[in-house]
Amino acid sequence: PLALSGNVAYQGNAVEQAATGGEVTVTAPATPADTTPPSVTITSPANGATGSRQTIAAKASDNTGVVKMEAYGDNKLLASTATGSINTTWNLKSGKIAKGAHTVTVKAYDKAGNIGVASVTVYK
């Protein structure tokens, strides 16, 4: 709480502002910077899923709002949205994609530039 006494503003016992002309101007403290990344949940595919065609679905939430989401298959960008959810398909049938383990990664960005990440492993 801020207390005024004469031409002096006090915060506890500390003098916040003093004035000589009968006015006291108090500036509110700066809002702390947002350092919390978005929370990302991959709803599909499940970790350990198998198949040559994977549906990637995910959602994200953040205290200041999600401004972008991206879906990756083995670090290759598959889709991007400007919302808090993403849904796309990754076709692993291509002869260029070897059998074995592959990584699905989803990233979410908030207004402050924080990045939330979630990943699962799928098998072709």
Side-chain angles (χ1 to χ4, degrees):
L2 189 64
L4 294 176
S5 176
N7 293 339
V8 180
Y10 294 91
Q11 179 90 33
N13 290 329
V15 173
E16 290 294 319
Q17 183 72 35
T20 57
E23 282 186 22
V24 174
T25 303
V26 178
T27 305
T31 303
D34 175 18
T35 58
T36 304
S39 173
V40 180
T41 302
I42 297 175
T43 56
S44 177
N47 193 43
T50 60
S52 58
R53 188 173 174 90
Q54 298 290 335
T55 297
I56 302 169
K59 58 185 177 179
S61 61
D62 184 74
N63 60 329
T64 63
V66 175
V67 296
K68 179 171 75 168
M69 287 187 75
E70 298 171 333
Y72 293 84
D74 289 340
N75 296 316
K76 179 183 175 190
L77 181 65
L78 302 172
S80 180
T81 69
T83 66
S85 65
I86 195 163
N87 194 319
T88 191
T89 301
W90 185 21
N91 184 352
L92 291 97
K93 290 180 183 178
S94 166
K96 296 177 183 178
I97 299 176
K99 288 187 177 187
H102 298 277
T103 304
V104 171
T105 303
V106 177
K107 296 180 181 182
Y109 301 78
D110 69 9
K111 294 175 184 178
N114 299 307
I115 305 169
V117 180
S119 296
V120 295
T121 301
V122 297
Y123 297 89
K124 174 181 175 186

